Amino acid sequence: MKNSSGIFNYRHNREGQVYHLYSHDIAGLLGCSIRTADNYIQSLPFSVNDTTAGTETELQAAVIGEKDAVDLPVSIENSNYYANIMRRTASGDSPKRLMADLDCFLNINPELVWENSYVRFPRSTLSPFADAMFRRDLRANKDVKMSELRTDAHRFVINHRGEEFLRIPVSYLLKVALADAISHKPSIPHVIQRTGYELTRNFTNDNTSPETHSFHVVRGNLRDGIGKAIAKDVSRRFLLSQLLVMYANKKFLLARYGQQATLYFSPRPPLRQKKLNACISDAFYRDLFMSPCLSGWNDGEAKHNYMHLCHEVLSRSHLNAVVKLRDAGILLSNLAILPRTSSPSLANNGIHLSLGSRKLSGLLQDRGSGFTAHHEKFLGDLVVKIVEHFLPLFVGTYSAAPCRFDFGEFHPETVLGFLPHELDYTHLRMLWRRWKKKTKMKLFNQPLTPSGVPWLDRMIARSFGLKGDIIPDFRLIDYLVCLMSTYSSPALNGGLGNSISLKKDLSDLGIFHTKMSLYLLYKLREYNAMGFSGFEGRHYSLFEGFDKDVGHAGGLQNLITALAFKYILEGEVTHSHIPDDPFIESERRQIIFGAAVGIPTFYVRRHTSNLFLKRIVSATSKVRNSRRYPGYMRIEISEYRKALLDILAKDAAALIEMFCIENTMKDLRERIYDFDGYSVSSRLIRGILNDKRKNSPLDMDSDEFNSTAESYYRGSLKRRHISEALSSLKEDLKIIDRNIPNTNNDLSKVLRFVVHDAGAAQALEVLNDDVIEERASLEGVIKLIYLILVVEYVDQAAAKREEVTDGPAPIHRAGNA
């Protein structure tokens, strides 16, 4: 696949000046020429000593309690919106069903779970330090001491029976709890106070869900690779978040006032929130659920307004997708289930995994290096295009978001989500036809479409055994995870500013907005914008485990990114091999979405101009010419994954050896060759079914399966995640028990303050079961919070020592929505 000229054709500016960049010239700038570097593989960007990593996790928050005690139902019942709907219903101006649905949401809630509700508690329970932090976060500009308050500051302080209460989202509760825990008494050691204060910055909340980002930039080592470090980072933040919620429930007297906050991994918008969204206005939905952005931004109110914009744009975009379905020939009449003017898609939760290159960041920081933002963008876009071909290895395999649909719900305008904005019409029609075939929606061998009348569709489904479908990862369908280029504005052609042009085009089409960050499955993080040069993987949904899934996925992402640079710097893949054409872009991305839906096949033009995809297909077994689509090849996704595995084993052999990730490759092979046994989607489905003692998802209707999934994530899976995180922490504490008493007297004093004369690992062992079952005492929770802060202090100190030896690591910042 070598370009005979060895030339990257790169059109840089509007005047049409053409830059010819030779692969060996770029390799020379990077100091990793295959002809001159002594250790060529080790000199590549994202090699074993070059890669840094950071993650951003989105969790699902909920408050458990009776309707009269929890903020969400109380806020709805006390709202002008609710009063107006009551009046309009009584006068006949609004349908009675609207009021009935709203009352159903408020009054029928057997599990008493109110997702994304705020909490209310007495302000007097805060320590002076935590209260001071809250007062600062209410400023319109946090950098100015005498700044006036935000215009919405009154929303977060209320009067309850003559006492001042705080009213805040759970996402902000985490930060307040951490500030309180490190300051609730004066004798707390400075190491704990300082480390805890620094970590308060890592608890942000620009989206509906609580978000945390890495406490420090992590690096791998020759023994464990980067994956182990990433998994430990994610598990530690998850555990600290759990402990902070437990702390808040007790210290802030939430239980006394009928509330129990809870936090867990859950990839999709809660069912009840979606039902509420269907019976209230878009403005009221935003008022209830859009994050106030109290933490993480100097001007939180401006960020809050930005999130309003995101919701408005995505809601409008979802409506416009229906029009595109008609234009694509999928909707054959004007009869359609119109989406609401309010989309809950921003409530989807995932993990963003960013990898940074010390080499690239250092060269871009050094203005005399000759390596500029032009090179970064040119190489970065090509890396993204290469990596997208490998993303089917991850979807459903390492992360998933299983979702069940009944026959009556199987309307294209409902289940195809944002795909009309992400795929070319040809691939969209192909995917929809294959998806319908998978569901076996036929009657007397004729395709059958639900009528849209619920009682009639239920009767038809029961009468003819039409069970609908279960799909592996609906988050990738239900959220706008990437945007297709336009013919005039390609997103990944290597030109600086190309995303600005594309956003302008998409804004004109009513799909996106120029103020929003461009959505991509694998995204270049540019040095000038982020402070580091690297890539962010945004294709991850829910992981079942940390080491087993997060760790292996992180190592695999690092391997593929390094391999992409190897291809480019050796001149094997250029932009001309993967043309910047919306159809070609859609051709490779259809495989990702097909894997998310769980269809077995996809189609590629026999003479596709995507030479890189053509090479992968040529290595794929069981490929045949399509009888239905002349000029196309029919390819099985399972065989395509096997071909990718073989290509990695061959082309990345030296990298695999360098990264010491032979176990990851073995694990990947098991997941691909026995998808039903080892993939995350299959394991999650088994866990969900075990909670109901069912044999198949199709033995349950969609409401039962999807609500059981939420209960499983909130219960059994959360306990498993806590248990694994505690085990990881115990490993760290054993190391501290062995080393700290002999090397650091100051830290020994801190440990004695926390655990007295017991060992740190022993103290954890005593509390282990109580933490998993969330019955630990306040004193026990505080002890574990302090131990995590000690471990984090030790790790950060070690990272700083590495910086002295190797130079500073790039700073990874959380990505935008």
Side-chain angles (χ1 to χ4, degrees), residues 29-202:
L29 288 174
L30 296 176
C32 53
S33 172
I34 193 170
R35 298 173 183 171
T36 59
D38 293 332
N39 298 300
Y40 167 62
I41 293 296
Q42 288 85 349
S43 71
L44 288 170
F46 298 93
S47 66
V48 69
N49 292 316
D50 185 57
T51 305
T52 59
T55 57
E56 177 189 354
T57 57
E58 298 167 338
L59 297 171
Q60 179 62 55
V63 179
I64 301 172
E66 296 288 346
K67 180 186 74 168
D68 296 337
V70 178
D71 181 82
L72 179 61
V74 169
S75 295
I76 292 173
E77 287 194 325
N78 292 339
S79 68
N80 290 338
Y81 178 85
Y82 186 79
N84 290 332
I85 289 295
M86 285 186 66
R87 292 191 193 98
R88 290 176 62 85
T89 303
S91 65
D93 292 333
S94 290
K96 292 182 179 180
R97 180 186 55 79
L98 195 63
M99 194 68 212
D101 289 345
L102 195 50
D103 282 337
C104 179
F105 173 84
L106 293 170
N107 297 307
I108 302 178
N109 185 4
E111 294 186 289
L112 301 179
V113 176
W114 307 90
E115 290 92 352
N116 294 317
S117 175
Y118 283 29
V119 291
R120 303 175 174 204
F121 60 90
R123 189 168 187 173
S124 60
T125 59
L126 291 181
S127 70
F129 176 75
D131 189 68
M133 186 193 71
F134 173 65
R135 281 187 276 110
R136 178 179 180 271
D137 286 338
L138 287 185
R139 293 180 194 157
N141 186 337
K142 296 173 189 174
D143 279 346
V144 179
K145 280 190 176 182
M146 301 305 293
S147 170
E148 60 187 8
L149 294 179
R150 295 167 49 136
T151 60
D152 60 354
H154 63 280
R155 296 184 60 198
F156 313 113
V157 181
I158 61 174
N159 185 285
H160 180 71
R161 297 177 183 174
E163 186 177 0
E164 196 171 55
F165 270 50
L166 261 59
R167 176 184 175 271
I168 55 177
V170 174
S171 53
Y172 186 64
L173 180 72
L174 297 176
K175 180 181 179 181
V176 174
L178 180 54
D180 193 89
I182 61 175
S183 62
H184 74 285
K185 59 183 179 180
S187 58
I188 299 170
H190 178 73
V191 164
I192 290 174
Q193 288 184 328
R194 186 65 195 172
T195 304
Y197 173 70
E198 290 174 353
L199 296 191
T200 60
R201 306 169 193 168
N202 296 68

Side-chain angles (χ1 to χ4, degrees), residues 555-571:
L556 183 61
Q557 179 179 325
N558 189 191
L559 173 69
I560 293 169
T561 305
L563 176 62
F565 272 93
K566 181 175 179 289
Y567 282 146
I568 295 167
L569 297 177
E570 292 178 3

Side-chain angles (χ1 to χ4, degrees), residues 795-807:
D795 282 358
Q796 288 188 14
K800 289 175 182 175
R801 289 194 296 272
E802 286 183 350
E803 288 181 14
V804 173
T805 305
D806 302 330

Side-chain angles (χ1 to χ4, degrees), residues 362-644:
L363 289 171
L364 290 162
Q365 186 179 27
D366 179 7
R367 295 186 178 181
S369 68
F371 189 81
T372 68
H374 303 284
H375 301 96
E376 179 193 32
K377 178 64 174 168
F378 179 73
L379 288 172
D381 282 359
L382 183 51
V383 168
V384 169
K385 290 194 287 188
I386 293 171
V387 170
E388 283 187 352
H389 291 80
F390 288 90
L391 291 187
L393 290 175
F394 296 88
V395 178
T397 312
Y398 285 103
S399 75
C403 185
R404 174 85 168 86
F405 286 103
D406 287 332
F407 164 75
E409 298 169 307
F410 214 75
H411 301 270
E413 61 273 29
T414 302
V415 299
L416 287 176
F418 289 93
L419 286 180
H421 301 318
E422 298 168 307
L423 292 178
D424 180 89
Y425 288 166
T426 298
H427 301 127
L428 187 64
R429 286 192 295 266
M430 289 175 171
L431 184 147
W432 177 239
R433 186 200 66 80
R434 194 61 188 83
W435 193 356
K436 286 193 296 182
K437 182 177 180 182
K438 176 194 171 195
T439 64
K440 300 178 181 177
M441 293 199 316
K442 287 187 176 183
L443 185 60
F444 305 120
N445 210 33
Q446 294 298 315
L448 187 63
T449 304
S451 67
V453 181
W455 67 266
L456 179 59
D457 289 332
R458 285 194 295 270
M459 184 183 71
I460 293 172
R462 283 196 301 267
S463 301
F464 299 101
L466 303 174
K467 294 190 174 183
D469 196 19
I470 175 79
I471 72 170
D473 196 338
F474 191 59
R475 188 190 76 91
L476 293 181
I477 309 299
D478 193 42
Y479 187 62
L480 188 57
V481 293
C482 66
L483 286 156
M484 189 168 64
S485 297
T486 62
Y487 282 95
S488 57
S489 300
L492 299 170
N493 67 342
L496 279 178
N498 56 13
S499 63
I500 297 174
S501 300
L502 175 58
K503 287 192 291 184
K504 175 65 169 63
D505 284 1
L506 296 175
S507 179
D508 292 342
L509 293 169
I511 296 172
F512 210 59
H513 197 282
T514 55
K515 290 183 179 179
M516 295 170 64
S517 178
L518 189 67
Y519 291 4
L520 289 171
L521 287 155
Y522 203 61
K523 187 170 185 177
L524 173 64
R525 307 311 270 168
E526 296 172 73
Y527 179 84
N528 287 337
M530 303 302 299
F532 76 97
S533 183
F535 301 88
E536 182 181 47
R538 301 166 66 92
H539 51 281
Y540 299 112
S541 297
L542 173 63
F543 294 99
E544 193 204 32
F546 296 121
D547 274 347
K548 188 173 184 179
D549 299 318
V550 178
H552 285 311
L556 183 61
Q557 179 179 325
N558 189 191
L559 173 69
I560 293 169
T561 305
L563 176 62
F565 272 93
K566 181 175 179 289
Y567 282 146
I568 295 167
L569 297 177
E570 292 178 3
E572 288 197 25
V573 183
T574 72
H575 276 287
S576 64
H577 287 106
I578 311 173
D580 293 289
D581 176 287
F583 187 88
I584 297 300
E585 196 174 73
S586 174
E587 188 174 50
R588 65 177 182 267
R589 289 177 181 169
Q590 63 161 329
I591 315 169
I592 302 166
F593 293 119
V597 168
I599 58 175
T601 56
F602 63 96
Y603 300 87
V604 170
R605 282 189 302 187
R606 191 162 54 246
H607 301 298
T608 178
S609 55
N610 183 343
L611 300 183
F612 189 68
L613 178 59
K614 203 169 186 178
R615 176 192 168 189
I616 299 171
V617 171
S618 68
T620 303
S621 300
K622 301 181 182 179
V623 175
R624 65 169 175 80
N625 290 328
S626 171
R627 291 186 290 270
R628 179 178 294 273
Y629 304 111
Y632 282 83
M633 297 177 287
R634 179 184 179 275
I635 304 156
E636 295 181 14
I637 290 179
S638 60
E639 296 300 323
Y640 179 86
R641 283 172 166 153
K642 292 174 185 177
L644 291 176

